[in-house]
Amino acid sequence: MTDKEIALEQDLVDRAYARLEAMRERARIFAASAAANNASAGPERDAMVESSLRRAQQLNIGDESLVFGRIDNADGSTNHIGRVAVYDEDHEPLVTDWRAPASIPFYKATPKETMNVVRRRHILGRGQRVVHLEDELLDREDLRGDLVLVGEAALLNALERTRSGHMRDIVSTIQREQDDVIRAPLQGVLVVQGGPGTGKTAVALHRAAYLLYTYRERLARTGVLVVGPNALFLRYIEQVLPSLGESAALSTIGGLVVGISPTTEDPPQVARLKGDPRMAQVIARACANIEQGVREPVKIAHEGATITLTPGASEHIVRLSRKRFSGTHNARAEDVRGFVISYLYRKWHNKDEWRDIFGPEHFTTFESDIREHPDFIAAVEHMWPLRSGQDILTMLRTDPEFRRRATHGILSEKDAALLIGNADDGFSEQDIALIDEANAILGSAERRTRRRPRIDREERFHIERLVDELQELNPIIRSERRAFVQRLVDQRLELENDERDYLPRQRAWFGHVVVDEAQSLSPMQWRMIARRCPGKSMTIVGDLGQSESFWNTTWENVVSQLNAPTSTISELSINYRSPEEISDLAARVLSAFAPHLRPPRPVRRSGSDPVFIETGDRIRVAVEEARKHVPEDGTAAIITTPALRDEARRTAGVSGVDLGSKLGVISVDESRGLEFDLVVVIEPAQIVERDGYSALYVALTRPTQTLVVVHSEQLPEPLRT
């Protein structure tokens, strides 16, 4: 490519950066002006500020190159493709956003389907400087001597770059099958099956960026949630969306319940049970079992009289409350409290000889006094206690009778015994899903008080019927019942606010949810995710070949659990990460446990086979190999079992995981979704013994350049030459 061509592209890039900075400055000034404008109403002003700041954020692309491509069309027009749209002073496009419809040919045009594109140019840059151009001719008849046919050179150049501690975006090298996934419609569930190195994580994140751009108005209100397998993975991907001018909420599966974090790990048989869909029935019954009548009569003294709440009356109130009041369990607690007060007042009023002179204000006094009575408080707490999901799980662990009542007929005694634990045990990742299930039924455990709503005809009937059935009315005063009920109706006050002001606030939900490394999630975890996306608009990416699932997961099964109105299952078939030599070795492991799955096809060879080292000093040798062969500006990881990981960390002087370091020492689970230039795997046999062949498959598919296997035990059969 001539220096003149590079200079022409550099001129365009310089103009684009100058205009980008002007656009950013304009957004910042507008935000500052809106914030200082006291004439604007509060909400309107805040919306203007938020919109301006969001626009400034979208224009902040960091150190990545703004312009990375150009398409020359058959009609003589050209489009430069970049991370964000940039316009000149006359509002004419300088750079087209990669997500815009006009950019589609850059990713999808081929010599067979040119889409009216004559030439596709990849502009390789370092920051704001153009360093190289790669041209791809699509109209072969238009071939001229000063053009070079490069094909996938730009892609291979990107693949051969060393890795840093964070995932880079792939916006400049998106391939056609990836682009089909990225630009799929918003509605419904899209499942993307992709083997190691197919770029499924990057594709999912770019899809999130595309959806935020294309459906801006809708998703600006509801947002996008990205769920990943662990905190290390989230740190690895956290810069991708910002580099594309977008943002989303990031969470691990164990972090979806605010205020609770998993601190322990279940044994396999316990994890299998807690993820079983039958646990939804157990949790529902457990939550219902906390609603019960008092066991002994409750006597409440008031103004020299004693009012009795009998076990029969309280049980009847509980049954009626379940039918009468809507909302979550905890949201109905105040309704139940008011129902009990109404019942007690009816009993007390009809026994008092001065009942005829009492008016609505007297009920208010009665209600105020009874609410503070300790026996009343204790009775209602027993009948309809405020509970959290943590409370329910703790009761299942520690209360044998409560556990028996919740599990009888659903779980076997052997399975139910797996739930036994101590009150101070930490929570596992599977526990989080059970807590969320209970919270969905219970609602917020925070006590909320409000004025009772105007009593309606149905409640009036229930109060009358309850008093009659319990034979608490003196026959002499039955004729006055209607007058009493009418006075009870008249003294009630209307709600001052809409019900939404006092019902427990809904847990956050999103307009679209992206789930990565989805292959090992349990049915109970899928229920937790579904609650965060009531519109059932999801992108689910994973690889069944990397699954350690106990639940015989298939993507069809996952889709059926989500009960989505529409669904599509796509597959990414090309491995862009590992060279052929490493991919072939991993494919032998895949065939050992999942022969029905097809490994992705690698696009390149490295010329170097995986290295196997048998030694009695496996830890020391592994650390030496990692340090000796890691590229100067690249990354290396030692991957093994948790026990050997801890030993290797001590030998290497590494504590925890630092994505910014050249060498990391991690377990297989911690490595999911990550990639490194060099990977050293210690003791494959122990990995297989602990977690199965799928875990070994994960470990072997992390490197982009070099794989070293260090062992003292016999290798698993697929690795033997």
Side-chain angles (χ1 to χ4, degrees), residues 545-621:
Q546 299 179 60
S547 173
E548 297 177 9
S549 174
F550 304 117
W551 301 281
N552 299 319
T553 299
T554 65
W555 294 129
E556 290 78 8
N557 178 256
V558 168
V559 169
S560 68
Q561 292 178 61
L562 295 172
N563 195 28
T566 62
S567 62
T568 304
I569 300 177
S570 300
E571 183 173 4
L572 299 176
S573 61
I574 301 175
N575 181 354
Y576 302 101
R577 177 193 299 152
S578 300
E580 184 177 333
E581 295 86 349
I582 296 175
S583 299
D584 288 349
L585 179 67
R588 285 170 19 205
V589 174
L590 178 66
S591 65
F593 71 96
H596 60 288
L597 295 178
R598 180 178 57 187
R601 176 173 54 87
V603 298
R604 61 193 173 97
R605 290 184 58 84
S606 67
S608 300
D609 291 328
V611 176
F612 291 84
I613 301 176
E614 185 173 5
T615 174
D617 197 359
R618 57 197 179 186
I619 302 298
R620 181 188 61 81
V621 170

Side-chain angles (χ1 to χ4, degrees), residues 99-120:
R99 295 163 291 188
S103 297
I104 293 177
F106 181 77
Y107 298 107
K108 293 190 174 181
T110 66
K112 187 175 181 180
E113 298 179 43
T114 64
M115 303 178 73
N116 293 319
V117 174
V118 175
R119 174 173 64 178
R120 173 169 45 221

Side-chain angles (χ1 to χ4, degrees), residues 14 74 146 182 188 263 336 436 462 464 472 478 601 640 662 668:
D14 290 342
D146 60 338
I182 290 170
T263 58
V336 176
D436 191 69
H462 286 317
E464 294 177 10
E472 296 290 344
R478 281 182 185 274
R601 176 173 54 87
T640 186
K662 291 180 66 67
V668 175

Side-chain angles (χ1 to χ4, degrees), residues 232-309:
L232 180 61
F233 174 85
L234 295 185
R235 295 203 301 273
Y236 178 63
I237 68 170
E238 65 184 357
Q239 296 180 4
V240 174
L241 281 172
S243 75
L244 299 173
E246 303 293 351
S247 62
L250 305 181
S251 178
T252 62
I253 189 70
L256 289 177
V257 177
V258 177
I260 309 174
S261 299
T263 58
T264 187
E265 185 175 343
D266 289 317
Q269 68 273 24
V270 177
R272 183 184 297 112
L273 174 67
K274 290 180 178 178
D276 193 294
R278 293 177 298 166
M279 287 303 298
Q281 302 175 55
V282 171
I283 295 297
R285 186 186 289 175
C287 291
N289 284 344
I290 64 176
E291 303 165 357
Q292 56 187 325
V294 297
R295 297 174 182 174
E296 301 291 338
V298 177
K299 298 183 181 297
I300 301 173
H302 179 69
E303 295 188 3
T306 299
I307 315 170
T308 302
L309 176 65

Side-chain angles (χ1 to χ4, degrees), residues 416-473:
L418 295 175
L419 300 175
I420 296 174
N422 299 315
D424 57 353
D425 287 347
F427 295 117
S428 69
E429 201 168 70
Q430 294 297 335
D431 287 331
I432 301 300
L434 301 184
I435 290 171
D436 191 69
E437 186 78 24
N439 283 340
I441 299 171
L442 297 173
S444 172
E446 178 185 352
R447 178 171 177 173
R448 286 172 166 80
T449 60
R450 61 179 176 91
R451 294 182 177 181
R452 293 278 296 148
R454 183 179 297 277
I455 194 168
D456 63 13
R457 184 176 303 172
E458 183 180 359
E459 183 172 354
R460 182 189 316 174
F461 168 78
H462 286 317
I463 293 175
E464 294 177 10
R465 181 179 175 186
L466 177 58
V467 174
D468 284 346
E469 287 182 356
L470 297 171
Q471 298 179 345
E472 296 290 344
L473 279 176

